[in-house]
PDB file of all heavy atoms in Angstrom:
ATOM      1  N   TYR A 988     -18.106  58.158 166.798  1.00  0.00           N
ATOM      2  CA  TYR A 988     -18.987  57.002 166.578  1.00  0.00           C
ATOM      3  C   TYR A 988     -20.339  57.174 167.257  1.00  0.00           C
ATOM      4  O   TYR A 988     -21.362  56.749 166.722  1.00  0.00           O
ATOM      5  CB  TYR A 988     -18.322  55.700 167.043  1.00  0.00           C
ATOM      6  CG  TYR A 988     -17.474  55.077 165.965  1.00  0.00           C
ATOM      7  CD1 TYR A 988     -16.094  55.048 166.056  1.00  0.00           C
ATOM      8  CD2 TYR A 988     -18.058  54.504 164.837  1.00  0.00           C
ATOM      9  CE1 TYR A 988     -15.319  54.481 165.066  1.00  0.00           C
ATOM     10  CE2 TYR A 988     -17.289  53.932 163.843  1.00  0.00           C
ATOM     11  CZ  TYR A 988     -15.923  53.924 163.958  1.00  0.00           C
ATOM     12  OH  TYR A 988     -15.154  53.359 162.983  1.00  0.00           O
ATOM     13  N   TRP A1034      -8.219  50.988 169.703  1.00  0.00           N
ATOM     14  CA  TRP A1034      -9.226  51.600 168.837  1.00  0.00           C
ATOM     15  C   TRP A1034     -10.095  50.531 168.167  1.00  0.00           C
ATOM     16  O   TRP A1034     -11.320  50.626 168.169  1.00  0.00           O
ATOM     17  CB  TRP A1034      -8.538  52.481 167.792  1.00  0.00           C
ATOM     18  CG  TRP A1034      -9.467  53.060 166.792  1.00  0.00           C
ATOM     19  CD1 TRP A1034     -10.429  53.999 167.006  1.00  0.00           C
ATOM     20  CD2 TRP A1034      -9.545  52.723 165.412  1.00  0.00           C
ATOM     21  NE1 TRP A1034     -11.086  54.283 165.833  1.00  0.00           N
ATOM     22  CE2 TRP A1034     -10.557  53.506 164.840  1.00  0.00           C
ATOM     23  CE3 TRP A1034      -8.831  51.833 164.605  1.00  0.00           C
ATOM     24  CZ2 TRP A1034     -10.891  53.426 163.503  1.00  0.00           C
ATOM     25  CZ3 TRP A1034      -9.165  51.764 163.260  1.00  0.00           C
ATOM     26  CH2 TRP A1034     -10.187  52.549 162.728  1.00  0.00           C
ATOM     27  N   LEU A1035      -9.470  49.492 167.624  1.00  0.00           N
ATOM     28  CA  LEU A1035     -10.239  48.420 166.989  1.00  0.00           C
ATOM     29  C   LEU A1035     -11.101  47.673 168.000  1.00  0.00           C
ATOM     30  O   LEU A1035     -12.231  47.288 167.693  1.00  0.00           O
ATOM     31  CB  LEU A1035      -9.299  47.448 166.267  1.00  0.00           C
ATOM     32  CG  LEU A1035      -8.668  47.991 164.992  1.00  0.00           C
ATOM     33  CD1 LEU A1035      -7.600  47.038 164.481  1.00  0.00           C
ATOM     34  CD2 LEU A1035      -9.731  48.243 163.933  1.00  0.00           C
ATOM     35  N   ARG A1036     -10.585  47.480 169.207  1.00  0.00           N
ATOM     36  CA  ARG A1036     -11.368  46.797 170.247  1.00  0.00           C
ATOM     37  C   ARG A1036     -12.647  47.587 170.559  1.00  0.00           C
ATOM     38  O   ARG A1036     -13.730  47.024 170.672  1.00  0.00           O
ATOM     39  CB  ARG A1036     -10.523  46.601 171.504  1.00  0.00           C
ATOM     40  CG  ARG A1036     -11.218  45.773 172.559  1.00  0.00           C
ATOM     41  CD  ARG A1036     -10.340  45.464 173.761  1.00  0.00           C
ATOM     42  NE  ARG A1036      -9.788  46.646 174.408  1.00  0.00           N
ATOM     43  CZ  ARG A1036      -8.502  47.013 174.367  1.00  0.00           C
ATOM     44  NH1 ARG A1036      -7.627  46.292 173.705  1.00  0.00           N
ATOM     45  NH2 ARG A1036      -8.090  48.096 174.986  1.00  0.00           N
ATOM     46  N   ILE A1037     -12.528  48.896 170.666  1.00  0.00           N
ATOM     47  CA  ILE A1037     -13.702  49.741 170.938  1.00  0.00           C
ATOM     48  C   ILE A1037     -14.689  49.698 169.781  1.00  0.00           C
ATOM     49  O   ILE A1037     -15.886  49.497 169.982  1.00  0.00           O
ATOM     50  CB  ILE A1037     -13.270  51.187 171.240  1.00  0.00           C
ATOM     51  CG1 ILE A1037     -12.600  51.254 172.609  1.00  0.00           C
ATOM     52  CG2 ILE A1037     -14.457  52.148 171.181  1.00  0.00           C
ATOM     53  CD1 ILE A1037     -11.919  52.579 172.894  1.00  0.00           C
ATOM     54  N   THR A1038     -14.192  49.881 168.560  1.00  0.00           N
ATOM     55  CA  THR A1038     -15.114  49.923 167.413  1.00  0.00           C
ATOM     56  C   THR A1038     -15.786  48.578 167.184  1.00  0.00           C
ATOM     57  O   THR A1038     -16.972  48.531 166.867  1.00  0.00           O
ATOM     58  CB  THR A1038     -14.395  50.392 166.134  1.00  0.00           C
ATOM     59  OG1 THR A1038     -13.314  49.520 165.842  1.00  0.00           O
ATOM     60  CG2 THR A1038     -13.896  51.809 166.272  1.00  0.00           C
ATOM     61  N   GLN A1039     -15.060  47.480 167.347  1.00  0.00           N
ATOM     62  CA  GLN A1039     -15.655  46.166 167.128  1.00  0.00           C
ATOM     63  C   GLN A1039     -16.583  45.751 168.255  1.00  0.00           C
ATOM     64  O   GLN A1039     -17.569  45.058 168.036  1.00  0.00           O
ATOM     65  CB  GLN A1039     -14.560  45.120 166.928  1.00  0.00           C
ATOM     66  CG  GLN A1039     -13.819  45.297 165.631  1.00  0.00           C
ATOM     67  CD  GLN A1039     -12.641  44.343 165.501  1.00  0.00           C
ATOM     68  OE1 GLN A1039     -12.250  43.670 166.440  1.00  0.00           O
ATOM     69  NE2 GLN A1039     -12.074  44.311 164.306  1.00  0.00           N
ATOM     70  N   SER A1040     -16.294  46.180 169.477  1.00  0.00           N
ATOM     71  CA  SER A1040     -17.114  45.790 170.624  1.00  0.00           C
ATOM     72  C   SER A1040     -18.417  46.578 170.714  1.00  0.00           C
ATOM     73  O   SER A1040     -19.457  46.031 171.071  1.00  0.00           O
ATOM     74  CB  SER A1040     -16.336  45.982 171.923  1.00  0.00           C
ATOM     75  OG  SER A1040     -15.235  45.132 171.963  1.00  0.00           O
ATOM     76  N   TYR A1042     -19.579  49.159 168.227  1.00  0.00           N
ATOM     77  CA  TYR A1042     -20.188  49.706 167.008  1.00  0.00           C
ATOM     78  C   TYR A1042     -20.074  48.755 165.813  1.00  0.00           C
ATOM     79  O   TYR A1042     -19.830  49.195 164.695  1.00  0.00           O
ATOM     80  CB  TYR A1042     -19.534  51.055 166.657  1.00  0.00           C
ATOM     81  CG  TYR A1042     -19.492  52.002 167.824  1.00  0.00           C
ATOM     82  CD1 TYR A1042     -18.329  52.185 168.556  1.00  0.00           C
ATOM     83  CD2 TYR A1042     -20.628  52.698 168.206  1.00  0.00           C
ATOM     84  CE1 TYR A1042     -18.299  53.041 169.644  1.00  0.00           C
ATOM     85  CE2 TYR A1042     -20.602  53.553 169.294  1.00  0.00           C
ATOM     86  CZ  TYR A1042     -19.433  53.716 170.006  1.00  0.00           C
ATOM     87  OH  TYR A1042     -19.408  54.565 171.071  1.00  0.00           O
ATOM     88  N   PRO A1043     -20.272  47.454 165.991  1.00  0.00           N
ATOM     89  CA  PRO A1043     -20.052  46.529 164.864  1.00  0.00           C
ATOM     90  C   PRO A1043     -21.075  46.668 163.747  1.00  0.00           C
ATOM     91  O   PRO A1043     -20.777  46.376 162.596  1.00  0.00           O
ATOM     92  CB  PRO A1043     -20.141  45.148 165.521  1.00  0.00           C
ATOM     93  CG  PRO A1043     -21.047  45.365 166.690  1.00  0.00           C
ATOM     94  CD  PRO A1043     -20.720  46.757 167.184  1.00  0.00           C
TER      95      PRO A1043
END
Side-chain angles (χ1 to χ4, degrees):
Y988 273 110
W1034 175 68
L1035 288 171
R1036 186 175 56 251
I1037 288 170
T1038 59
Q1039 291 174 350
S1040 296
Y1042 310 101

